[in-house]
């Protein structure tokens, strides 16, 4: 799609190398695909910062053990203040506030989280209309 993607994650949680190589092949030199352990590098000159919860629903035990490992990757005010750009911030929800993203950021002026959720609702409605509509 012509966008550069940087993924910041702790070393033990990086995507499989085969997945990264496949993404780079799909990018076909039109886009940059980078995996890093440095959140500052990942957000440098970014236009969009996208985060997600650190453990999927139903993985509550894993969530507790991941908090100290993922804490340096939290999207927080300090991270945003370190940037020269002013990227928008997104999150697919549900969010665990003060873990992967702080309340100040999710409610802040750079957040597009609520608009993102609203847009998702319309997309899901369109799918339902298509599936349930007349032939």
């Amino acid at each position: 799609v012509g966008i550069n993607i940087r993924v910041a994650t702790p070393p033990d949680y990086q995507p499989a190398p085969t997945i990264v190589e496949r993404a780079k092949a799909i990018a076909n030199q039109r886009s940059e695909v980078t995996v890093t352990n440095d959140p500052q590098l990942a957000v440098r000159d970014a236009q969009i910062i996208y985060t997600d919860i650190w453990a999927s629903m139903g993985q509550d035990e894993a969530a507790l053990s991941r908090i100290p490992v993922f804490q340096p990757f939290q999207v927080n005010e300090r991270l945003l203040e370190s940037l020269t750009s002013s990227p928008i911030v997104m999150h697919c929800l549900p969010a665990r506030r003060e873990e992967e993203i702080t309340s100040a950021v999710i409610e802040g002026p750079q957040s597009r989280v609520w608009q993102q959720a609203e847009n998702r609702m319309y997309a899901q409605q369109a799918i339902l209309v298509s599936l349930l509509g007349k032939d």
Side-chain angles (χ1 to χ4, degrees), residues 59-120:
Q59 296 181 325
D60 295 331
E61 287 183 31
L64 290 175
S65 65
R66 290 180 185 184
I67 290 172
V69 176
F70 278 83
Q71 190 62 45
F73 297 85
Q74 182 186 63
V75 178
N76 56 36
E77 305 86 307
R78 186 176 64 246
L79 181 70
L80 296 181
E81 289 167 359
S82 72
L83 303 174
T84 56
S85 62
S86 187
I88 64 171
V89 176
M90 301 177 79
H91 191 302
C92 60
L93 298 177
R96 292 189 178 186
R97 291 173 184 241
E98 312 314 322
E99 286 185 19
E100 74 276 1
I101 190 167
T102 61
S103 292
V105 170
I106 203 169
E107 299 293 344
Q110 291 171 252
S111 175
R112 298 299 181 274
V113 173
W114 310 119
Q115 295 91 330
Q116 177 186 4
E118 181 180 14
N119 290 341
R120 191 170 61 239

Side-chain angles (χ1 to χ4, degrees), residues 15-25:
T18 55
I19 302 283
V20 175
E21 291 308 313
R22 179 72 177 128
K24 288 179 179 181

